[in-house]
Amino acid sequence: MTMIRLKNLSKSYKLGKEEIPILKRISLDVEEGEFLAIMGPSGSGKSTLMNILGCLDLPSSGGYELESMNMVTGQENKLADIRNQFIGFVFQSFHLLPRLTALQNVELPLIYNGWKKKERKERAMDALKKVGLEDRASFRPPQLSGGQRQRVSIARAIVNKPKFILADEPTGALDTKTGEQILSLFQELHEEGVTIIMITHDEQVAKKADRIIYIRDGELFKDRSEDAYA
Amino acid sequence: MLENIRISFQSIWGHKLRSSLTMLGVIIGIAAVIAIFAIIQGRSEELKSNLIGMGNNTVNVVFEEADMYEEEGMWGGEVTNRSAPPIKQEAIEEILTYPNVNGMSIYYEGWQEAYHLINVTHPKLLGIDERYLDLFPATMVEGREFTELDFDSYSQVALINDVAMSELFPEGDALHQTIDISGMPFKIVGIFSDAEVDSDWYYPEPTIYLPATTWPLLNGFDAPMQVAVQASSSETIQEVGTMTADRLNMDLPPYETALYQVADFERMMEEISQFDQAFAFILGGIASISLLVGGIGVMNIMLVSVTERTREIGIKKALGAKRHVILAQFLTESVVLTSIGGVIGILTGLGIAKAISVFANMPFYVSVPAISGSFIFSMLIGIVFGLLPSIKASKLQPVEALRYE
Ligand SMILES: Nc1ncnc2c1ncn2[C@@H]1O[C@H](COP(=O)(O)OP(=O)(O)OP(=O)(O)O)[C@@H](O)[C@H]1O
Ligand SMILES: [Mg+2]
């Protein structure tokens, strides 16, 4: 079943009087349960695409449907609910709140979803267990290693049982070995049926996915085109 | 909400120096209001209780040219130099039976030098009747009060207070000594202390009491008399004073142009409260300027705080926090900040007022409405000046906020 459908989606930024196109007429279907990797050179528009997929930003034109719901006309509070309930974010630089403990960080999406304290704590603890960090629940991000921080942010991404996970270079800030641990975590989630869209620079990383698509100068390619990575 | 307040405290505590500097404006503003208010209020409360009923629900009925209060206002008017005809005993007895009348005294008052050997004092001299000390109790330190016999037999005896004693008898031992007033000898039969009668912002003055019956020896038979009546409560003073004046006026001869009168307390109160209002106005001016400055400081620091936490806001929004959640977070922080400032300001202000009242010997009055008003006002400052930064925070676009380094 198709979960995400992008139709002729474009995004451009205004710089002074000039319109600079970043994404050009992108069409893409993502199936439920799929593990998709998006590759492309720096500045090609990967993060821009991910922001639109994550309802953090709106496209300039074109359509975006999530399970046949139109995402383009959504107003702010509705988009906040969609991000909260349907999407799990994993960022390259983790984006954890440094003053909160690991557990409190994982609890955040549940707070915004109106969960009661006790059930919230249990659910967040389960998510931390899943990423193998239950013994670090009361640690704050600065007291954790990079890999541990990324695992906390994965716990935070899955705690609300989202429809899909968006990961923007989740291994970009980690060494190869730690990166592999994070990837196997993603694979585990994938095997459980979670849909994952992952942006990466790294061919080795991308290979773990079911499907790789390439983006260059804001355009999508099904295969790696010669000059894109030359 | 509670969570928000807790987080606000943490974040304020996390920037101790910055927070306290920010609070300073609010602290100074609120402290100034509270301190000035406590002192002004204390003074005017005391002024009122002194004016009205001299602190013990007593009022003077004064023999004056008619309608002086109408034309001259509360302080004006001249006491007539013609003395009133003697007050009849039946009138006094009748007045004492009136409802709400606790007591009444007819006495003479003047300033005359008193001597003992080479020592001299210039005391307040009172010729008191047998009921005077019921209205204005004195604490006897030594000796006795006047007896009925003293009054009836025109005894040349005197009661002096401790201030007069120290001036006339530097070595002490005043009891049974004789002092000289206008060439007349008076024997001291008692020494009293009236520190409790007068309030703390009067300097204690030398005072000498003589039996009223001896007053004509010094000042002739037509010396002006004072009439004081005591009401059962402060609410009935006006009524008691008016009734007494009316009764005494009944006995005046028809050609008399002067009348017994009593001050119009409602009018006095009004003038005092106008005075208070003028002060409140000045006070309000000072307070609003310093609170405006304080509020702008709060706004400034909240704007800095929003900028510093752009990424935090972005993360929260990405995770599904809605506008009102972010708004509430920053608004709470700003209100908590100014409320802490308000509480510190209130305590500081009370401390300053207390210190002033101790050092300058002034009354101190803790006004609950002023304190709760200041506290609410400090919260209000937090809301007003925190609103703009909070709205700014809540409107941040998640993409922009996440991109912010
Ligand atoms: N708010 C903006 N205003 C103007 N231009 C922008 C804005 N956001 C992104 N861009 C531009 O869009 C282009 C694509 O940026 P994007 O972050 O999507 O690239 P990317 O593929 O994620 O690169 P990287 O691999 O380095 O993360 C860049 O050229 C960038 O300068
Ligand atoms: Mg990027």
Side-chain angles (χ1 to χ4, degrees):
Chain A
M1 197 187 123
T2 305
M3 175 176 265
I4 291 168
R5 170 161 290 168
L6 302 183
K7 251 194 228 150
N8 289 332
L9 186 136
S10 298
K11 176 78 182 174
S12 55
Y13 286 111
K14 260 208 176 83
L15 253 180
K17 280 192 180 143
E18 247 182 304
E19 285 261 339
I20 300 178
I22 307 294
L23 298 177
K24 297 164 193 164
R25 303 177 68 79
I26 285 180
S27 295
L28 172 69
D29 282 2
V30 182
E31 297 299 312
E32 190 174 345
E34 199 179 353
F35 187 174
L36 174 72
I38 301 177
M39 290 193 73
S42 189
S44 55
K46 302 185 297 294
S47 296
T48 307
L49 178 61
M50 168 163 149
N51 287 338
I52 292 171
L53 284 171
C55 296
L56 293 164
D57 205 355
L58 291 172
S60 308
S61 67
Y64 169 20
E65 281 176 8
L66 174 60
E67 288 190 343
S68 307
M69 282 184 295
N70 184 4
M71 293 290 110
V72 174
T73 56
Q75 45 100 269
E76 212 185 299
N77 279 350
K78 209 175 139 217
L79 291 180
D81 278 336
I82 288 166
R83 289 196 293 271
N84 181 256
Q85 288 157 33
F86 297 162
I87 307 171
F89 291 94
V90 179
F91 300 97
Q92 178 174 0
S93 50
F94 323 130
H95 283 343
L96 298 171
L97 296 186
R99 279 194 303 242
L100 302 184
T101 63
L103 185 69
Q104 286 169 330
N105 266 291
V106 177
E107 276 180 81
L108 277 178
L110 299 175
I111 291 178
Y112 301 138
N113 201 8
W115 283 59
K116 291 268 176 320
K117 194 167 184 170
K118 197 167 158 277
E119 294 138 46
R120 197 171 78 202
K121 286 233 174 327
E122 280 170 16
R123 180 84 171 252
M125 206 60 198
D126 286 345
L128 275 180
K129 269 190 199 130
K130 180 123 197 149
V131 299
L133 278 181
E134 65 266 40
D135 55 335
R136 295 287 190 274
S138 59
F139 284 47
R140 285 168 214 281
Q143 300 164 313
L144 297 171
S145 74
Q148 286 170 332
R149 284 186 220 182
Q150 196 59 297
R151 272 145 74 191
V152 173
S153 82
I154 291 170
R156 184 181 65 184
I158 60 174
V159 73
N160 235 347
K161 305 228 186 309
K163 291 196 186 299
F164 65 99
I165 289 178
L166 275 178
D168 192 351
E169 301 192 37
T171 59
L174 304 173
D175 60 59
T176 324
K177 210 164 155 263
T178 331
E180 268 164 20
Q181 285 171 2
I182 296 297
L183 274 180
S184 53
L185 203 52
F186 275 125
Q187 269 177 323
E188 218 175 282
L189 290 170
H190 171 52
E191 273 151 30
E192 287 169 24
V194 180
T195 313
I196 300 171
I197 301 173
M198 180 175 71
I199 288 167
T200 180
H201 269 124
D202 190 333
E203 191 81 16
Q204 295 309 113
V205 170
K207 269 184 185 156
K208 312 268 179 184
D210 299 341
R211 175 159 73 115
I212 308 177
I213 54 164
Y214 299 89
I215 186 168
R216 176 168 57 92
D217 288 339
E219 285 182 89
L220 271 195
F221 296 88
K222 295 273 183 260
D223 303 294
R224 183 179 166 179
S225 72
E226 286 306 310
D227 49 351
Y229 266 78
Chain B
M1 192 63 207
L2 238 74
E3 186 70 5
N4 265 341
I5 293 174
R6 202 180 55 79
I7 291 170
S8 301
F9 268 105
Q10 272 178 4
S11 126
I12 289 165
W13 191 247
H15 296 105
K16 275 188 278 292
L17 183 64
R18 184 165 100 184
S19 303
S20 41
L21 287 175
T22 308
M23 279 187 263
L24 209 57
V26 177
I27 293 176
I28 291 173
I30 296 283
V33 174
I34 291 288
I36 299 173
F37 206 97
I39 284 170
I40 305 260
Q41 190 84 350
R43 270 200 97 99
S44 92
E45 288 296 313
E46 194 181 64
L47 203 60
K48 278 181 198 164
S49 76
N50 273 308
L51 269 181
I52 304 165
M54 304 172 214
N56 64 349
N57 302 333
T58 307
V59 64
N60 275 95
V61 179
V62 190
F63 189 63
E64 282 159 333
E65 288 301 330
D67 67 26
M68 96 167 214
Y69 285 115
E70 265 104 81
E71 275 165 22
E72 302 276 349
M74 68 189 257
W75 311 113
E78 250 162 74
V79 179
T80 175
N81 42 19
R82 280 174 303 114
S83 56
I87 293 168
K88 293 191 189 116
Q89 194 60 34
E90 309 102 76
I92 299 174
E93 266 149 33
E94 204 175 307
I95 289 165
L96 285 171
T97 65
Y98 285 170
N100 298 325
V101 173
N102 260 15
M104 176 179 184
S105 171
I106 293 169
Y107 60 97
Y108 300 93
E109 191 175 53
W111 296 83
Q112 255 166 309
E113 276 165 3
Y115 299 89
H116 175 252
L117 304 176
I118 57 158
N119 300 316
V120 62
T121 181
H122 194 77
K124 184 163 98 179
L125 201 61
L126 292 177
I128 64 173
D129 66 358
E130 58 272 35
R131 286 178 295 266
Y132 183 86
L133 290 177
D134 299 336
L135 264 60
F136 305 100
T139 314
M140 296 307 292
V141 182
E142 251 186 293
R144 59 171 178 84
E145 295 182 5
F146 295 144
T147 62
E148 213 167 310
L149 190 69
D150 289 331
F151 291 109
D152 292 347
S153 60
Y154 310 93
S155 304
Q156 280 171 246
V157 290
L159 302 178
I160 69 173
N161 76 344
D162 37 12
V163 185
M165 185 186 90
S166 64
E167 287 180 9
L168 288 173
F169 302 93
E171 284 99 45
D173 211 13
L175 202 60
H176 307 313
Q177 301 274 4
T178 302
I179 54 171
D180 189 309
I181 302 167
S182 292
M184 301 284 191
F186 284 86
K187 189 176 152 201
I188 296 169
V189 294
I191 293 153
F192 65 95
S193 159
D194 55 1
E196 281 169 64
V197 175
D198 279 344
S199 56
D200 25 283
W201 53 295
Y202 287 128
Y203 288 109
E205 53 190 4
T207 309
I208 297 181
Y209 292 167
L210 309 174
T213 46
T214 64
W215 197 263
L217 293 177
L218 302 174
N219 297 295
F221 281 94
D222 56 353
M225 285 177 298
Q226 309 289 326
V227 179
V229 275
Q230 185 175 45
S232 57
S233 70
S234 59
E235 287 83 55
T236 54
I237 295 179
Q238 186 84 63
E239 173 199 334
V240 162
T242 311
M243 285 197 309
T244 305
D246 289 349
R247 177 62 190 82
L248 294 177
N249 288 333
M250 272 168 54
D251 291 343
L252 293 176
Y255 53 81
E256 181 59 69
T257 55
L259 286 172
Y260 284 99
Q261 300 179 43
V262 71
D264 186 342
F265 292 123
E266 269 161 34
R267 190 148 156 187
M268 284 192 192
M269 290 299 236
E270 209 170 285
E271 296 201 21
I272 292 175
S273 58
Q274 274 174 9
F275 195 64
D276 282 359
Q277 269 169 17
F279 261 112
F281 225 73
I282 298 168
L283 189 73
I286 300 171
S288 27
I289 290 171
S290 72
L291 289 175
L292 184 72
V293 173
I296 291 171
V298 170
M299 179 143 86
N300 187 35
I301 222 67
M302 288 308 297
L303 285 171
V304 170
S305 169
V306 168
T307 309
E308 275 181 356
R309 279 142 78 179
T310 300
R311 239 159 76 114
E312 173 188 328
I313 296 164
I315 293 169
K316 287 184 169 172
K317 283 205 151 184
L319 298 179
K322 294 183 184 154
R323 248 189 210 190
H324 69 89
V325 173
I326 306 291
L327 186 86
Q329 181 198 339
F330 281 90
L331 212 50
T332 309
E333 185 166 325
S334 143
V335 170
V336 167
L337 188 71
T338 57
S339 302
I340 296 174
V343 169
I344 298 176
I346 288 168
L347 295 177
T348 315
L350 288 177
I352 292 171
K354 185 77 202 166
I356 291 178
S357 78
V358 167
F359 288 114
N361 201 17
M362 292 211 288
F364 173 73
Y365 185 87
V366 178
S367 153
V368 176
I371 289 175
S372 42
S374 303
F375 183 68
I376 292 170
F377 197 66
S378 65
M379 288 176 73
L380 223 68
I381 292 173
I383 293 175
V384 169
F385 290 94
L387 203 58
L388 183 85
S390 306
I391 289 177
K392 193 185 160 197
S394 75
K395 279 192 174 164
L396 279 178
Q397 290 301 313
V399 223
E400 305 298 328
L402 280 174
R403 195 186 294 274
Y404 186 85
E405 289 301 320

